Amino acid sequence: MTNWMHMAALAAEIPALPGAACKARFDLYERTIGEHHAAGRLTKPELDDARREALRLCAGCPALTRCRAWLDALPMSRRPNGVVAGVVITSSGAPMRTRTPANRAPCAAES
């Protein structure tokens, strides 16, 4: 399967979520994926800031319940990485078990 075909298949699985706060914010949510930090594209404070902002948007999102139901129905191997449905999803497909950046105040070095 070509890259485009793979991406099209993944996109077809995403439900319509009217009113979702993440719509048109792909730039923010893409930055919440840990691989960006590992590849040297983001610093740890930049990654935490992106996750904090995405989690804040998710917390007030009118589509959060439907989004969470969609995420919970996916097998872990099919879950997207980064912030999804108000949680940080790791590369294994499991939610991050440590304290999320949304619950942590930025340190002085991050301000």
Side-chain angles (χ1 to χ4, degrees):
M1 182 181 302
T2 66
N3 233 6
W4 171 247
M5 291 171 61
H6 180 70
M7 290 301 294
L10 289 175
E13 294 176 4
I14 299 171
L17 296 169
C22 60
K23 288 199 184 231
R25 295 300 310 268
F26 64 89
D27 57 323
L28 170 62
Y29 285 84
E30 186 69 20
R31 291 193 321 266
T32 70
I33 300 171
E35 286 78 17
H36 283 280
H37 173 62
R41 291 183 228 151
L42 290 179
T43 65
K44 175 94 170 89
E46 289 170 331
L47 177 63
D48 286 349
D49 286 347
R51 286 179 174 172
R52 192 177 299 109
E53 175 65 10
L55 290 167
R56 185 189 66 74
L57 286 174
C58 285
C61 181
L64 181 59
T65 302
R66 289 173 285 142
C67 186
R68 179 86 37 89
W70 167 75
L71 179 68
D72 290 345
L74 289 174
M76 290 206 328
S77 63
R78 301 290 292 168
R79 291 180 178 176
N81 297 344
V83 173
V84 181
V87 294
V88 179
I89 302 298
T90 66
S91 59
S92 70
M96 184 180 280
R97 297 208 183 272
T98 59
R99 202 166 143 198
T100 63
N103 298 330
R104 181 181 65 78
C107 68
E110 294 174 353
S111 302

